[in-house]
Amino acid sequence: MTRPRSFFALMMACLMAFLVSCSSVEAKVPTTYTAAQIQQIQRYVPTLTEFRSRMDNLGTLIQKRNWVDTRTYIHGPLGDLRGTMKTVSGTLLPKSQQQAVDLTKSLFGDLVEIDNAAKATDYAKVTASYRKAVNDFDTFLQLIPKA
């Protein structure tokens, strides 16, 4: 009688080991920012604010139809904008992260269009692309959590 009990206990132990090894814990997606995450993101806010004011300067150059300086400004003072936006996008919550990445791509598509239109001296296309770029950037800034 001891033999069937020990065999049954051994089978139960194997079954339990198999079930435990096959199970997995679901990773929970965070729904709020931790204080450390907010602090990390807030380090980039002054830089992003400076880039936003540079976008206004770009608008002034476009209004003056200064095409050479417009193109130079995109590649110069706005040159680090993409890297900063990508870094910030990576620190956002997953629900905002994809939207931030899409806005970053859209903004830089708009800047390329501004550059190409400025090269062709097409004022209408430059101004339309500039408005889209500013809207994309402002939407991106709204995704950043407040301190």
Side-chain angles (χ1 to χ4, degrees):
M1 188 93 141
T2 58
R3 211 172 254 234
R5 283 187 190 169
S6 61
F7 180 72
F8 181 71
L10 178 64
M11 290 303 292
M12 289 300 288
C14 290
L15 179 64
M16 293 298 290
F18 176 75
L19 290 175
V20 169
S21 67
C22 290
S23 66
S24 64
V25 177
E26 273 187 42
K28 291 186 179 182
V29 177
T31 56
T32 59
Y33 292 100
T34 64
Q37 287 174 317
I38 290 176
Q39 184 180 16
Q40 180 183 9
I41 294 169
Q42 289 300 313
R43 286 187 295 160
Y44 293 100
V45 169
T47 305
L48 289 170
T49 304
E50 175 64 27
F51 280 126
R52 181 58 183 89
S53 70
R54 289 179 185 176
M55 290 292 288
D56 292 337
N57 294 342
L58 178 64
T60 303
L61 292 172
I62 291 170
Q63 275 184 329
K64 293 179 180 178
R65 297 176 191 235
N66 187 341
W67 305 126
V68 173
D69 287 346
T70 296
R71 295 184 68 215
T72 302
Y73 202 80
I74 291 170
H75 298 284
L78 293 176
D80 292 335
L81 178 60
R82 184 177 210 159
T84 304
M85 288 178 74
K86 285 178 106 176
T87 301
V88 172
S89 296
T91 60
L92 297 176
L93 292 177
K95 66 180 179 178
S96 300
Q97 197 171 40
Q98 187 57 48
Q99 184 181 5
V101 169
D102 293 342
L103 287 167
T104 301
K105 287 179 184 176
S106 178
L107 173 64
F108 281 92
D110 297 336
L111 289 176
V112 168
E113 287 178 20
I114 292 170
D115 188 37
N116 292 335
K119 187 176 184 179
T121 65
D122 185 352
Y123 183 74
K125 189 170 183 178
V126 169
T127 55
S129 296
Y130 174 74
R131 279 192 300 272
K132 285 176 24 183
V134 169
N135 287 338
D136 289 340
F137 197 33
D138 289 341
T139 305
F140 180 87
L141 291 174
Q142 290 174 1
L143 295 175
I144 296 174
K146 306 298 181 239

